[in-house]
Amino acid sequence: MTKGSDPTRFFYQENAQVYASRDRLLPAERLDAFLGALAAGASILELGCGGGQDSAYMMSRGFDVTATDGSPQLSKEAETRIGKPVRVLRFEDLAARDQYEGVWAEASLLHVPRSTLPDILERILQALKKGGVLHASFKSGARHGHDSFGRYYNYPSVKWLGDILVAGGWKDVSITKGEGGGYDGKPTPWLYVNAIK
């Protein structure tokens, strides 16, 4: 793969080890809130597990986690951390039906092109059992674009994101704002989504 064909995938291919082993603050408060909405031992699909830190945390709490990432290189890094296979899965290839109680997508769906995000959210909706919970986070903005590493971001607003979730049939949609950072070290406004099938 060349950088020009898909700069986002190229970045994770070329930087998997450094990215997976970076000093990342675990989103424990968000994880605990998400896990608290699920029954003990519930089945969880993690989309875009990166280095596997969040999957490892959820597994340590006794949940049945299926870790996935679109990057074969990151999947291998995550396998080392969590000690079990990590499935290479692109969002557009998700075909599960009524299989999971929860979907955790921390800082992953933000790479989905705006034009295809409704389809990916529909795939996630279908993968969840009735009453299943979605958590996702996005870097906030007014229009899509690329960061200094060439990675694509959809940069949604609260209204834009809320509208497509409601139109897609999600219930109890909650979007909260927060301030944080990212791999580039720059201050970043974030949106945290929670919704129910």
Side-chain angles (χ1 to χ4, degrees), residues 26 28 31-32 35 52-63:
L26 192 77
L31 277 161
D32 289 342
L35 297 176
Q53 295 93 338
D54 295 1
S55 280
Y57 181 84
M58 293 186 282
M59 290 167 59
S60 76
R61 297 277 309 275
F63 290 87

Side-chain angles (χ1 to χ4, degrees), residues 3-90:
K3 186 173 182 178
S5 63
D6 187 337
T8 305
R9 286 181 71 187
F10 183 81
F11 171 85
Y12 292 112
Q13 171 186 294
E14 295 299 305
N15 298 283
Q17 185 175 18
V18 172
Y19 185 83
S21 60
R22 74 196 188 282
D23 187 19
R24 174 182 176 260
L25 185 63
L26 192 77
E29 187 176 323
R30 291 190 297 280
L31 277 161
D32 289 342
F34 171 72
L35 297 176
L38 301 172
S43 59
I44 298 169
L45 173 66
E46 182 173 10
L47 293 172
C49 72
Q53 295 93 338
D54 295 1
S55 280
Y57 181 84
M58 293 186 282
M59 290 167 59
S60 76
R61 297 277 309 275
F63 290 87
D64 178 17
V65 180
T66 300
T68 71
D69 199 276
S71 163
Q73 295 79 10
L74 273 177
S75 294
K76 287 178 185 172
E77 295 291 333
E79 285 178 356
T80 301
R81 175 168 278 108
I82 67 175
K84 67 181 255 186
V86 172
R87 182 176 168 200
V88 177
L89 178 70
R90 304 270 299 161

Side-chain angles (χ1 to χ4, degrees), residues 103-140:
V103 170
W104 178 260
E106 177 79 1
S108 60
L109 298 178
L110 43 64
H111 292 308
V112 176
R114 283 184 171 217
S115 61
T116 57
L117 187 58
D119 174 67
I120 300 304
L121 289 169
E122 172 64 20
R123 289 175 179 273
I124 295 170
L125 190 72
Q126 294 303 316
L128 283 167
K129 296 179 180 179
K130 184 176 174 60
V133 179
L134 166 67
H135 166 85
S137 62
F138 297 82
K139 291 185 177 184
S140 178

